[in-house]
Amino acid sequence: MPSELISELRERLGQVADLNATIALLQWDQEVCMPPKGAQARGRQLATVSAMAHRMFTDERVGALLNELRSGSVVSPDDRVLVEESLRDYERATKLPEVFVERFAEEQSRAYEAWTRSREQDDFAIFRPHLETMFDLLRQKTDYFGYAGSPYNALLDEYERGMTVEQLNPIFADLAKRQSALVSRIALSDTQADGVWMKGEWDANAQWGLTLGILGDMGYDFEAGRQDKSVHPFSTSFDLYDVRVTTRVNPNELFSALTGSMHEGGHALYEQGFREEDRRTPLAQGTSMGMHESQSRMWENMIGRSLPFWERYAPAYQGQFPGRLDNVSTEQMFRAINRVEPSFIRVEADECTYNLHIILRYELETALIEGRMKVSEVPEAWNAKMKQYLGVDVPSDAVGCLQDIHWSHGLVGYFPTYALGNLYAAQLFEAMSASLPDIWGQVEAGNFGGILGWLRTHVHVHGRRKTAPEIVRTSTGSEPSSEPYMRYLTEKYSSLYGLS
Amino acid sequence: MPSELISELRERLGQVADLNATIALLQWDQEVCMPPKGAQARGRQLATVSAMAHRMFTDERVGALLNELRSGSVVSPDDRVLVEESLRDYERATKLPEVFVERFAEEQSRAYEAWTRSREQDDFAIFRPHLETMFDLLRQKTDYFGYAGSPYNALLDEYERGMTVEQLNPIFADLAKRQSALVSRIALSDTQADGVWMKGEWDANAQWGLTLGILGDMGYDFEAGRQDKSVHPFSTSFDLYDVRVTTRVNPNELFSALTGSMHEGGHALYEQGFREEDRRTPLAQGTSMGMHESQSRMWENMIGRSLPFWERYAPAYQGQFPGRLDNVSTEQMFRAINRVEPSFIRVEADECTYNLHIILRYELETALIEGRMKVSEVPEAWNAKMKQYLGVDVPSDAVGCLQDIHWSHGLVGYFPTYALGNLYAAQLFEAMSASLPDIWGQVEAGNFGGILGWLRTHVHVHGRRKTAPEIVRTSTGSEPSSEPYMRYLTEKYSSLYGLS
């Protein structure tokens, strides 16, 4: 009986989901609450529960159920997508031999340790042998997974299903050229933002209060979530009705708590928007890292760094810091939060330069995986591309090719999803604006119901039922493209920097 | 090879400990952080992880390892106690048929639901049939576990290993008579404490600050724990180096946050005092509920409600509430926090009346389990005993036999451990005082190092390596007895109430 099989499948997937939620809680607590001496035991707890979750999901019975249900004919359309998505995860999870998974995890620890030292001592030679081993292992991984076209596609597929090097190469090449040109023109502009008034201390409690207020305005449900402080902001989810965010409040920065909070709030709104009936299944997940990132970046950048947003919230800021901002105009705040300044560091990059940091990494990663470059050539290639795209001279590998944690963890194929997030965000936002003609009036009124409603219907509610390209296609009528993002950037920054 | 067997055992027990720690975190988060809508998913997560922990521990391989190691001869003394204690848990965990465990869990839910309604509507008839079923199941449980003497011993053994009805009956009968007489004499005293000055609002942050300061003074390690707020104060542990407490701050009560905090702090100091090498094993647990309770009650009552303690902390209170307590003497605070007042409610009871509430429950529980009383007779028996022991007329079952949650959960055999905690605390404290002649001078100086050191050596470090009676015997030279507690009570309250 298919109905009995599907019940058994749902029960097993539900238990795996419970364990995954538990892992997420162990991690959340580690970042937010755990006392320092608790770290060692927490590591063991995470290892034990993660191993159990993996064993439970890769159980042969799960595979048997999935294959039987796939070949059966009496499965409802709703159940069919559950079976297909679960089978996709199951196949990925079972394709890697256990001995390889262990070897990979060991190298992750070693590489992470070496990367830390390498960066501290600003000496790429320490990290190099580990990075070589890591890329060897990653190439083996692509063989286990299998691929068409570039082997990089096998890695990309884990984070951005269905996206390929063949699709990305022309998009990124075009973006690199155009964003790089835009950045050069901005650098030459006479209209530069003045940020002197931002110097000084900004009360942490006042900043915190602003983030809570704006999260609430965005539609984040505090009955089904909470915001805490952590060193690195993140969002996490234990269930449709328990989706949490964190932010970091730095008294020396006026806006970073807010932008962090809106970014994580964008992720969280996605997770609070899945279907009730998809709870405890793999369908209650963001469909790709890029689509997830589109939600955070739309709220943080396209909304949170817009002039109408500041028309609304400048007075709130002035109210929270009495007397400090009376002589600062809305326009000044808007300009300050959108200052363009090429730098070495990706995580501090503005909207105009951000994708260039990503494309640089993507080009190196693909060359390494495809065997067109050696690990030893990375520093030189890095610095050359920084000069080419951003016009900056990298003073040292520590703030160059050693700045990111990702490669030490074997996270290759992940970076491009950040840039894709920007592209999806702009493309979705254009379509949304067309169907909400008063969108900026609503933002200026602090009314985000229309925006959230549109995102719920077109993006959130689908969970993994649609791929990212399918979502873009059905809600905009076009294939994923970089045009809307370039239009958005050019228009916004031409106006800000007086470019003709 | 025994060394290989013991390694395998330790690894399996370690994973069970990891899962139990994870369950404790899921529960801690539920009480402290979880947003309200997260409750449903949390229930499922707890059910899944609990089932896995149970399955893992009751695995036949664990039983085979334990039995092989027990019969082997080359096991070190340290490992032998691990094997014995684990086997004890294993046998208890496997003695109940799975179908019985499920039946019991179902009845717990039903009984809890009925108890809630029954108490709300002040109608014992709603709860009665469920309580009857619960006691039927509990009698079946005693048969599964087996016992010598009273069947109640089988239940008691779960919470207070090795304690029996035959030992408790004479102790409790004697205590009931003597505490009841003391309470009657206090009621007739002319020297009654004045608490009018305690009325009003007491700033919650100031109270919170005091609890943190005193926990620190007690020796609680905030690098290996933290305090949070929750509706019902509790303590919990995820590891030797992650032991957390909660308290409740009520602005209408001046001392309840402090007494709650010291109580939970006492539990937590026990858990922070186990042996490093016992981590991730069943040995890193309090040896019994009574011994655990002795630690909380010693800190809360014997230390926290002593005159030298208030000589030290009255100025701290005066400092935290500027101007409010200038005319309140240390003596007045000491008297107020030790006011004796017979009431219907156990959780609000003072030191003199507390055990009487416990003994009443114990007498009813044993009569019900031994078949000497019917559930239908409970309300009448309850009220008669309240009159006899405390001299009060119970106005309704809601504040009478329906006040506690315990029976609805099938927690029978648990109440006596609260009274045993008082007895152990007094007995240990007498021995400690003999070896620390300046103990009260140290308390008055806010120096608790000597007390904590003594408790570490005589109680904490043993974990489950010694039973509660063994700890009492080896550290006091006597069998567990009620004499030290009665001496403590009589002396303290004769002085407070001017009894001759």
Side-chain angles (χ1 to χ4, degrees):
Chain A
M1 281 294 291
S3 72
E4 277 168 27
L5 297 182
I6 202 86
S7 298
E8 188 187 341
L9 177 69
R10 281 186 178 275
E11 184 47 31
R12 284 177 179 264
L13 294 176
Q15 289 180 358
V16 173
D18 293 337
L19 291 184
N20 285 332
T22 300
I23 292 165
L25 174 65
L26 286 162
Q27 290 167 331
W28 174 87
D29 180 79
Q30 185 166 35
E31 301 300 322
V32 174
C33 301
M34 193 186 72
K37 292 183 185 169
Q40 192 198 13
R42 183 54 49 88
R44 290 214 203 87
Q45 291 149 13
L46 277 165
T48 295
V49 184
S50 301
M52 299 198 78
H54 181 77
R55 208 177 312 144
M56 219 163 169
F57 181 59
T58 56
D59 191 294
E60 283 178 11
R61 178 66 187 158
V62 174
L65 282 168
L66 287 169
N67 283 304
E68 198 163 339
L69 282 162
R70 170 184 264 178
S71 57
S73 59
V74 222
V75 174
S76 73
D78 247 26
D79 288 338
R80 182 158 298 285
V81 65
L82 174 65
V83 169
E84 290 304 323
E85 289 300 305
S86 303
L87 203 50
R88 177 182 146 82
D89 292 350
Y90 183 83
E91 282 167 359
R92 277 194 88 88
T94 50
K95 265 182 184 164
L96 301 178
E98 215 162 289
V99 57
F100 178 83
V101 173
E102 276 170 33
R103 174 85 186 79
F104 197 86
E106 281 164 22
E107 186 52 34
Q108 280 177 316
S109 303
R110 274 197 290 266
Y112 172 71
E113 189 276 325
W115 168 73
T116 311
R117 269 189 305 125
S118 182
R119 191 168 73 147
E120 269 168 21
Q121 300 175 28
D122 190 16
D123 181 1
F124 183 72
I126 298 172
F127 188 39
R128 199 188 63 199
H130 295 279
L131 195 56
E132 284 165 351
T133 309
M134 188 52 90
F135 270 95
D136 285 344
L137 290 171
L138 286 165
R139 272 185 296 263
Q140 287 177 44
K141 210 172 176 179
T142 66
D143 289 335
Y144 285 124
F145 284 139
Y147 53 86
S150 167
Y152 190 83
N153 292 338
L155 303 175
L156 192 53
D157 189 58
E158 188 161 353
Y159 312 110
E160 198 63 30
R161 176 178 189 178
M163 188 55 67
T164 64
V165 165
E166 292 71 23
Q167 288 174 273
L168 278 184
N169 279 344
I171 294 176
F172 280 2
D174 175 64
L175 264 185
K177 206 175 62 190
R178 294 205 276 168
Q179 284 198 229
S180 185
L182 180 62
V183 171
S184 305
R185 293 178 65 212
I186 288 171
L188 298 171
S189 162
D190 296 332
T191 322
Q192 295 297 335
D194 154 38
V196 177
W197 57 269
M198 279 197 296
K199 294 218 190 302
E201 290 245 328
W202 302 93
D203 181 67
N205 287 335
Q207 288 197 47
W208 179 251
L210 285 162
T211 66
L212 292 179
I214 290 166
L215 275 178
D217 290 351
M218 285 164 64
Y220 176 77
D221 182 355
F222 278 99
E223 296 273 295
R226 51 183 284 140
Q227 181 176 256
D228 294 272
K229 288 164 193 154
S230 71
V231 177
H232 301 286
F234 68 99
S235 63
T236 187
S237 167
F238 316 140
D239 175 55
L240 178 61
Y241 295 117
D242 195 348
V243 182
R244 305 185 186 182
V245 296
T246 74
T247 193
R248 171 179 44 199
V249 183
N250 180 346
N252 296 313
E253 290 180 22
L254 181 55
F255 296 122
S256 70
L258 177 73
T259 54
S261 202
M262 290 186 76
H263 183 99
E264 302 309 331
H267 282 304
L269 287 173
Y270 193 1
E271 303 267 338
Q272 284 187 341
F274 298 141
R275 288 194 201 177
E276 176 82 35
E277 61 267 36
D278 285 345
R279 287 165 79 187
R280 286 180 99 218
T281 79
L283 299 179
Q285 286 172 18
T287 192
S288 77
M289 298 306 300
M291 189 53 72
H292 231 308
E293 205 66 16
S294 78
Q295 300 304 295
S296 55
R297 284 163 191 270
M298 185 185 294
W299 285 100
E300 177 192 353
N301 294 331
M302 308 193 67
I303 298 166
R305 294 181 204 265
S306 71
L307 187 56
F309 182 89
W310 286 97
E311 298 286 1
R312 170 74 185 182
Y313 291 102
Y317 265 73
Q318 283 158 340
Q320 283 282 36
F321 303 103
R324 301 277 303 277
L325 295 169
D326 293 355
N327 298 321
V328 179
S329 69
T330 299
E331 176 90 13
Q332 273 177 295
M333 291 193 202
F334 170 61
R335 284 184 175 279
I337 206 167
N338 285 296
R339 191 145 68 144
V340 176
E341 198 165 24
S343 87
F344 317 120
I345 308 295
R346 176 183 59 85
V347 296
E348 294 168 3
D350 53 74
E351 282 186 284
C352 286
T353 56
Y354 192 87
N355 282 353
L356 297 169
H357 290 270
I358 296 305
I359 292 166
L360 175 158
R361 286 157 179 76
Y362 167 78
E363 289 174 346
L364 297 188
E365 286 184 353
T366 47
L368 287 162
I369 290 289
E370 292 169 3
R372 293 182 282 108
M373 185 187 280
K374 289 189 209 132
V375 164
S376 59
E377 296 164 342
V378 163
E380 204 181 325
W382 183 287
N383 298 347
K385 282 185 191 290
M386 283 299 286
K387 185 75 181 171
Q388 180 192 347
Y389 293 155
L390 288 156
V392 297
D393 293 301
V394 176
S396 77
D397 291 339
V399 295
C401 65
L402 290 172
Q403 70 183 266
D404 295 307
I405 196 176
H406 299 58
W407 290 347
S408 75
H409 280 354
L411 279 173
V412 167
Y414 192 103
F415 279 125
T417 69
Y418 294 137
L420 282 169
N422 285 325
L423 304 192
Y424 294 154
Q427 200 163 356
L428 292 170
F429 200 83
E430 265 193 4
M432 178 166 43
S433 304
S435 76
L436 296 173
D438 185 34
I439 187 166
W440 291 118
Q442 291 172 20
V443 169
E444 202 173 319
N447 170 11
F448 302 102
I451 292 174
L452 182 56
W454 193 93
L455 293 173
R456 284 270 188 262
T457 314
H458 290 83
V459 182
H460 303 174
V461 77
H462 302 302
R464 278 176 59 182
R465 290 168 182 277
K466 287 187 177 182
T467 64
E470 277 168 9
I471 286 173
V472 171
R473 215 174 289 132
T474 56
S475 56
T476 73
S478 314
E479 290 299 312
S481 149
S482 57
E483 289 307 324
Y485 188 63
M486 279 313 304
R487 267 198 292 276
Y488 158 75
L489 272 192
T490 310
E491 198 174 308
K492 177 171 174 180
Y493 288 90
S494 293
S495 155
L496 270 161
Y497 282 89
L499 312 179
S500 55
Chain B
M1 281 295 290
S3 71
E4 277 168 26
L5 296 182
I6 202 85
S7 298
E8 187 186 342
L9 177 69
R10 280 187 178 275
E11 185 46 34
R12 284 176 179 264
L13 293 176
Q15 290 181 358
V16 173
D18 292 338
L19 291 183
N20 285 331
T22 301
I23 292 166
L25 175 65
L26 286 162
Q27 290 167 330
W28 174 86
D29 181 78
Q30 185 167 35
E31 301 300 321
V32 174
C33 301
M34 191 187 75
K37 291 182 185 170
Q40 194 198 10
R42 183 54 48 89
R44 290 212 203 89
Q45 292 149 11
L46 277 166
T48 294
V49 184
S50 302
M52 299 198 77
H54 181 77
R55 208 177 311 142
M56 221 163 169
F57 181 59
T58 56
D59 191 292
E60 283 178 13
R61 179 66 187 157
V62 174
L65 282 168
L66 287 169
N67 283 304
E68 200 164 338
L69 282 162
R70 170 183 265 179
S71 58
S73 58
V74 223
V75 174
S76 73
D78 247 27
D79 287 340
R80 182 156 298 282
V81 65
L82 175 64
V83 170
E84 290 304 323
E85 288 300 304
S86 302
L87 202 49
R88 180 184 142 81
D89 292 352
Y90 184 81
E91 282 167 0
R92 277 196 86 89
T94 51
K95 265 182 183 165
L96 300 179
E98 216 162 285
V99 57
F100 177 82
V101 173
E102 277 170 31
R103 174 83 186 78
F104 197 85
E106 282 164 22
E107 185 53 32
Q108 280 176 317
S109 304
R110 275 196 289 266
Y112 172 71
E113 189 277 322
W115 168 74
T116 312
R117 270 190 301 126
S118 180
R119 191 168 74 146
E120 269 168 23
Q121 300 176 29
D122 190 15
D123 182 2
F124 183 73
I126 298 171
F127 187 38
R128 201 188 61 199
H130 295 279
L131 195 56
E132 284 165 351
T133 308
M134 189 52 89
F135 271 94
D136 285 344
L137 290 170
L138 286 164
R139 271 184 297 263
Q140 288 177 42
K141 210 171 178 180
T142 66
D143 289 335
Y144 285 124
F145 284 140
Y147 52 87
S150 167
Y152 190 83
N153 292 338
L155 303 176
L156 193 52
D157 189 59
E158 189 161 355
Y159 312 110
E160 198 64 29
R161 176 178 188 180
M163 189 54 70
T164 64
V165 165
E166 292 72 22
Q167 288 173 272
L168 278 184
N169 279 345
I171 294 175
F172 280 2
D174 175 63
L175 264 185
K177 207 174 65 188
R178 294 206 276 169
Q179 285 198 231
S180 185
L182 180 63
V183 170
S184 304
R185 292 178 66 209
I186 288 170
L188 297 172
S189 162
D190 295 332
T191 322
Q192 296 296 333
D194 155 38
V196 177
W197 57 270
M198 282 197 295
K199 294 218 191 303
E201 291 244 327
W202 302 93
D203 181 66
N205 287 334
Q207 288 197 45
W208 179 252
L210 286 162
T211 65
L212 292 178
I214 291 168
L215 275 178
D217 291 349
M218 285 164 63
Y220 176 79
D221 182 357
F222 279 99
E223 295 273 296
R226 51 182 285 140
Q227 181 176 256
D228 294 272
K229 287 166 193 153
S230 71
V231 177
H232 301 287
F234 68 99
S235 65
T236 187
S237 169
F238 316 140
D239 175 54
L240 179 60
Y241 296 115
D242 195 347
V243 182
R244 306 186 185 181
V245 296
T246 74
T247 192
R248 171 179 44 198
V249 182
N250 180 345
N252 296 314
E253 289 182 21
L254 180 54
F255 297 121
S256 69
L258 176 72
T259 54
S261 203
M262 290 186 76
H263 182 100
E264 302 310 331
H267 283 303
L269 286 174
Y270 193 0
E271 304 265 336
Q272 284 187 341
F274 298 140
R275 288 194 201 176
E276 176 81 35
E277 62 266 36
D278 286 345
R279 286 165 80 188
R280 285 180 100 217
T281 78
L283 298 180
Q285 286 173 17
T287 192
S288 77
M289 300 305 299
M291 190 53 72
H292 232 308
E293 205 66 17
S294 78
Q295 300 304 294
S296 55
R297 284 165 192 268
M298 187 187 291
W299 285 101
E300 177 193 352
N301 294 328
M302 307 193 68
I303 298 167
R305 294 183 204 266
S306 71
L307 186 56
F309 182 90
W310 286 97
E311 296 286 0
R312 170 75 185 183
Y313 291 100
Y317 266 73
Q318 284 159 340
Q320 283 282 36
F321 304 103
R324 299 278 302 277
L325 294 170
D326 293 355
N327 298 321
V328 179
S329 69
T330 299
E331 174 90 14
Q332 273 177 296
M333 291 194 201
F334 171 59
R335 284 182 176 280
I337 206 169
N338 284 296
R339 193 146 66 148
V340 176
E341 199 164 25
S343 86
F344 316 121
I345 307 295
R346 177 182 60 83
V347 296
E348 294 169 4
D350 52 76
E351 282 188 283
C352 287
T353 56
Y354 192 86
N355 282 353
L356 297 168
H357 289 271
I358 296 304
I359 293 168
L360 175 159
R361 285 157 178 77
Y362 167 77
E363 290 175 344
L364 298 188
E365 286 184 351
T366 47
L368 288 161
I369 290 289
E370 292 171 4
R372 292 181 283 108
M373 186 189 277
K374 290 190 207 128
V375 164
S376 59
E377 295 164 341
V378 163
E380 203 180 324
W382 183 286
N383 298 348
K385 282 183 193 291
M386 284 299 284
K387 186 73 181 173
Q388 182 194 341
Y389 293 153
L390 288 156
V392 297
D393 293 300
V394 176
S396 77
D397 291 339
V399 293
C401 65
L402 292 171
Q403 70 182 267
D404 295 307
I405 197 178
H406 300 58
W407 291 347
S408 75
H409 279 355
L411 279 173
V412 167
Y414 192 104
F415 280 124
T417 70
Y418 294 137
L420 282 169
N422 285 325
L423 305 192
Y424 293 153
Q427 200 164 357
L428 293 169
F429 200 83
E430 265 193 5
M432 176 166 40
S433 304
S435 76
L436 297 173
D438 186 35
I439 188 167
W440 291 119
Q442 292 172 20
V443 169
E444 202 173 318
N447 169 10
F448 302 102
I451 292 174
L452 182 57
W454 193 94
L455 293 173
R456 286 269 188 265
T457 313
H458 291 84
V459 181
H460 303 174
V461 77
H462 302 302
R464 275 176 60 180
R465 289 168 183 277
K466 287 186 177 184
T467 63
E470 278 168 8
I471 286 173
V472 171
R473 217 175 288 133
T474 56
S475 56
T476 73
S478 315
E479 291 298 313
S481 149
S482 57
E483 289 307 322
Y485 189 62
M486 278 313 303
R487 266 199 293 277
Y488 159 74
L489 271 192
T490 309
E491 198 175 308
K492 177 172 175 180
Y493 288 90
S494 292
S495 156
L496 270 162
Y497 282 90
L499 310 180
S500 54

